[in-house]
Amino acid sequence: MAPAYVQGSTDEPLVEETIANRLAAVVAKYPDRVAVLSNQGKLTYRQIDEQSDAVAITFRDLGFRPADRVAVCLGNLAEYVVVIHACAKLGAIVVPMSTAYTEVQLVSAINHITASCLVLSTDISLPYKDPKSAHELFGGIIPKESRNSKVPSLRHLLVIDNSPSKCHREAFSDAVWFDDVLDQNCGKKFQQQAKLTPSDVINIQFTSGTTSSPKAACLTHKSLLNNAIVTGNRLNLTELDVLCCAPPIYHAFAMSLGVLSTMAFGCTLLLPSESFSPKAVVDSIINHQATVIYGVPTMFLAELEEAAQRGLGSSSFSSLRTGLIAGSIVPPVLRARLKEKMNLSGLLNMYGMTELSPSVSTTCFNDEIERHHNTVGTTLPHTEIRIVSRDNYHRTLQRGERGELLIGGYLLMKGYWEDEKRTSEALIIETDMHPDGSGSFQGSKTWLRTGDEAVIRPDSMLQITGRIKDIIIRGGENIYPSEIENFLLQHDLINSVAVVGLPDDRYGEIVSAFVIPHENALISQCHDISSFDLRARSEPLAGVNNGPTGTILTGEDIRCMVRGTLGRSSAPKYIFWVSKIPLTATGKTEKYKLREIGEMELRRRAESVVVGHQGVRS
């Protein structure tokens, strides 16, 4: 058996240029091609260039210098793309902020990277919610007289007016307004910083992650631009493509593979709405004949539901030829529905991480369906992957063996911003290692420890088997949540499921499943003391499912299914019926929150039993 090591193709050299250099070349080639299309209008590549020059001039005149941090808290607006390119021209570091942040979180993030400027829209949009005033949400940190004690580094506020009605400017009395910047500086040419290099940090990304403690990954022109290009090549992008980008630009998925990939190939970035809206996505695909679509499984599910409610068939999506689906497991039934209902036979799986700029591997158009169902494809060019022992990352395993996935190559982050401890834990340096058994490299090489458990199959395909920290160790036996989730998602009465480990006095940990039943399922908990219906509770998973009743589903049904196929130890001891599962803004399950909810519910149940017994004794 061969060592678990694969190196992507090196036939095509990496590009050695800055993002601003690439934009200049694309503007020269396609000046009048539509670069960004949104419900606010459209911008050509020439207009993107002119407007980003105007913003870069303003930043320079305000005293910004290369490596200054610019925090950006915007939805998917065309202005976001302009600001990104303005920062790239100046050499300022763009730091996207989640629009879902609370004021406390925004303060913490700005202070961590000591941003000198905040770019903000007057309204903030979140999925499935009405827009809220940014002043109402973040008024406590908006600079007054150029300073605010909560965010001492913040000197300037650049505001984009996206309110449906006229914004009251006095609420942002000390702000610079985006429209004024264009009026004052459009037509002026910004001289790009000559000292900028491809290895300079241009973007700091706060990881969405699956923990409650996000880290700030530093990414370079070279890592982001090359990742955008190699992934675009895997999708066969050309200047004729219209790429519908549903994920938020503040995440690396959309930042690199949306904003930068479309720019690198001279095609059109289609932004359906400021925050995710399945209706807007479906409308945009149909109205603008999108050819490529990005999303995570939860987004695609919502789009399928929207299309079904409107009676739309595959002919409505005939323009779509390919796309990327990433962020979590892709149930085979979902892929089959996307092929049948949305014409997405060419949809590719992608595996990536924020720290990796972000794309590591994808499936390919000519892959057999088994590979699309069970793997995240083959390694992208100029990227190396290894599987090592979870207990000893110096020991490379054999193909077919499960272990921790390590990544090497140009795509690695430079480190976490001002966090040497966590940087040294994530980035490891190996010396004189020969992981492929043939002396492929000597000297030192840096690898990123992903924290993901994976397998490199004999056919070189990469299979992600779960997060190492999510593996449930039940009485010394390793239980893999993703296997149970994949299996249960095949059930017609289960819409979604997340499996976590909860503490147990006997086994250390036991399997527990949070299940969203189909709206037609009738949940029966008769004589089942290990099922908990949280759907009508005022806890983090609140919301009642009032769909019509249908086939009965019980906790014991689920246990029997799992026992019969995956074995007794994999059967969930506890079943939590829920209306929704907590997700990050990019659609990843927040399993730490589920563990907290599960432990809280078990304590509540135990306390109520104790109280009940006390009442009997009295």
Side-chain angles (χ1 to χ4, degrees):
M1 185 68 73
Y5 169 81
V6 175
Q7 182 178 31
S9 168
T10 56
D11 293 343
E12 293 292 328
L14 294 170
V15 299
E16 295 288 343
E17 58 185 354
T18 65
I19 292 169
N21 292 148
R22 184 71 174 207
L23 176 64
V26 172
V27 171
K29 191 173 184 181
Y30 305 116
D32 298 318
R33 189 174 296 281
V34 176
V36 183
L37 189 58
S38 70
N39 55 14
Q40 288 86 31
K42 61 184 179 182
L43 292 176
T44 65
Y45 277 101
R46 179 187 285 113
Q47 289 171 317
I48 290 286
D49 188 42
E50 291 172 349
Q51 292 190 14
S52 59
D53 273 350
V55 175
I57 289 169
T58 297
F59 283 165
R60 181 199 61 198
D61 292 347
L62 289 172
F64 293 12
R65 296 292 179 266
D68 281 355
R69 275 75 62 204
V70 176
V72 184
C73 187
L74 298 174
N76 281 12
L77 296 165
E79 290 89 344
Y80 209 143
V81 179
V82 172
V83 170
I84 288 170
H85 285 297
C87 289
K89 290 176 175 181
L90 179 64
I93 300 173
V94 61
V95 189
M97 302 283 172
S98 170
T99 52
Y101 276 171
T102 64
E103 183 178 302
V104 171
Q105 290 172 313
L106 189 58
V107 166
S108 175
I110 291 173
N111 285 334
H112 180 61
I113 49 96
T114 55
S116 55
C117 177
L118 172 63
V119 182
L120 192 65
S121 54
T122 53
D123 279 357
I124 299 293
S125 293
L126 293 175
Y128 307 107
K129 295 180 180 179
D130 292 332
K132 286 191 174 182
S133 162
H135 192 273
E136 177 185 337
L137 292 170
F138 307 126
I141 62 170
I142 291 173
K144 296 176 179 63
E145 297 179 359
S146 302
R147 284 291 186 274
N148 186 296
S149 59
K150 289 184 179 180
V151 279
S153 66
L154 198 61
R155 303 192 306 275
H156 302 286
L157 181 68
L158 176 62
V159 179
I160 294 160
D161 188 352
N162 65 334
S163 302
S165 57
K166 188 67 176 176
C167 173
H168 297 290
R169 288 200 171 199
E170 59 268 21
F172 302 89
S173 58
D174 202 35
V176 176
W177 289 83
F178 188 88
D179 288 344
D180 293 345
V181 166
L182 299 189
D183 289 342
Q184 294 165 9
N185 293 325
C186 240
K188 298 178 182 177
K189 195 66 183 170
F190 177 77
Q191 289 300 116
Q192 297 179 21
Q193 298 294 310
K195 294 182 179 180
L196 298 183
T197 71
S199 61
D200 290 336
V201 173
I202 187 59
N203 176 216
I204 295 176
Q205 286 280 348
F206 281 94
T207 63
S208 60
T210 53
T211 72
S212 57
S213 180
K215 303 174 284 284
C218 299
L219 307 176
T220 67
H221 290 266
K222 181 176 181 177
S223 68
L224 286 168
L225 184 55
N226 279 285
N227 202 263
I229 291 170
V230 298
T231 308
N233 283 333
R234 188 66 63 93
L235 289 164
N236 291 340
L237 286 185
T238 75
E239 72 277 8
L240 301 179
D241 277 306
V242 177
L243 192 155
C244 181
C245 186
I249 293 176
Y250 62 73
H251 189 263
F253 186 2
M255 166 82 172
S256 175
L257 307 184
V259 173
L260 298 184
S261 282
T262 52
M263 182 274 294
F265 289 87
C267 50
T268 299
L269 177 66
L270 174 59
L271 301 175
S273 53
E274 292 182 40
S275 61
F276 176 66
S277 161
K279 180 182 185 303
V281 172
V282 170
D283 287 343
S284 293
I285 293 169
I286 295 171
N287 295 337
H288 301 292
Q289 294 295 286
T291 59
V292 185
I293 183 171
Y294 288 173
V296 299
T298 51
M299 290 177 174
F300 281 109
L301 280 168
E303 291 152 17
L304 282 169
E305 291 172 3
E306 173 69 21
Q309 288 173 5
R310 292 160 61 173
L312 301 176
S314 61
S315 60
S316 299
F317 303 95
S318 59
S319 63
L320 288 176
R321 65 172 185 84
T322 186
L324 288 177
I325 185 168
S328 62
I329 58 174
V330 184
V333 66
L334 172 58
R335 178 174 288 280
R337 288 179 64 197
L338 288 169
K339 178 180 179 181
E340 178 187 358
K341 303 296 185 182
M342 291 183 67
N343 199 45
L344 281 170
S345 57
L347 185 66
L348 306 184
N349 297 349
M350 186 196 81
Y351 168 75
M353 288 179 65
T354 300
E355 292 89 336
L356 297 168
S357 306
S359 184
V360 173
S361 67
T362 75
T363 49
C364 297
F365 293 123
N366 59 357
D367 280 340
E368 298 173 356
I369 193 65
E370 183 276 331
R371 291 181 170 182
H372 287 295
H373 282 175
N374 298 311
T375 79
V376 290
T378 53
T379 310
L380 286 164
H382 298 278
T383 300
E384 296 172 85
I385 63 174
R386 290 168 61 197
I387 307 296
V388 299
S389 168
R390 296 203 306 266
D391 302 323
N392 178 9
Y393 60 73
H394 298 291
R395 185 168 72 87
T396 303
L397 301 180
Q398 299 296 301
R399 295 195 181 194
E401 293 184 309
R402 297 186 190 222
E404 183 176 6
L405 174 63
L406 269 56
I407 310 293
Y410 76 92
L411 70 172
L412 298 187
M413 66 172 180
K414 276 199 167 181
Y416 295 119
W417 180 263
E418 295 189 348
D419 195 338
E420 292 184 9
K421 180 178 184 296
R422 290 205 281 190
T423 296
S424 63
E425 291 169 351
L427 294 176
I428 59 172
I429 298 176
E430 298 277 28
T431 305
D432 296 324
M433 293 291 292
H434 310 291
D436 66 348
S438 63
S440 67
F441 68 85
Q442 294 182 341
S444 63
K445 180 178 287 290
T446 302
W447 299 85
L448 182 119
R449 299 186 65 180
T450 65
D452 285 328
E453 188 194 62
V455 172
I456 296 177
R457 306 194 321 182
D459 60 3
S460 297
M461 304 297 283
L462 178 63
Q463 185 174 8
I464 306 298
T465 53
R467 292 289 292 169
I468 287 175
K469 65 186 177 186
D470 289 338
I471 293 172
I472 301 167
I473 303 176
R474 180 187 184 274
E477 181 180 1
N478 287 351
I479 309 293
Y480 300 93
S482 60
E483 290 183 352
I484 303 170
E485 292 162 353
N486 274 324
F487 176 71
L488 289 177
L489 284 169
Q490 299 174 39
H491 197 294
D492 291 340
L493 294 179
I494 295 176
N495 270 355
S496 188
V497 61
V499 172
V500 302
L502 292 180
D504 183 77
D505 291 339
R506 181 176 181 183
Y507 294 104
E509 281 187 303
I510 41 81
V511 178
S512 303
F514 288 78
V515 179
I516 301 179
H518 190 276
E519 63 177 8
N520 292 333
L522 176 63
I523 304 305
S524 173
Q525 295 180 261
C526 183
H527 308 302
D528 190 347
I529 61 171
S530 296
S531 287
F532 305 82
D533 196 337
L534 303 186
R535 292 174 299 162
R537 299 273 297 283
S538 58
E539 290 177 349
L541 296 173
V544 181
N545 183 345
N546 288 319
T549 60
T551 307
I552 295 174
L553 182 64
T554 71
E556 191 55 30
D557 291 337
I558 290 176
R559 296 185 192 95
C560 287
M561 286 173 56
V562 176
R563 276 197 296 264
T565 302
L566 302 179
R568 180 173 296 275
S569 58
S570 295
K573 179 176 180 179
Y574 299 115
I575 308 290
F576 299 90
W577 305 107
V578 298
S579 301
K580 58 183 179 180
I581 289 172
L583 304 172
T584 67
T586 52
K588 295 181 181 178
T589 302
E590 294 182 304
K591 290 198 171 183
Y592 76 96
K593 286 188 178 179
L594 292 179
R595 283 188 284 267
E596 291 172 357
I597 292 165
E599 291 173 16
M600 179 174 62
E601 184 62 23
L602 293 181
R603 284 196 301 270
R604 189 197 67 81
R605 176 69 65 90
E607 289 167 0
S608 66
V609 170
V610 170
V611 171
H613 282 304
Q614 290 172 343
V616 169
R617 284 197 297 269
S618 63

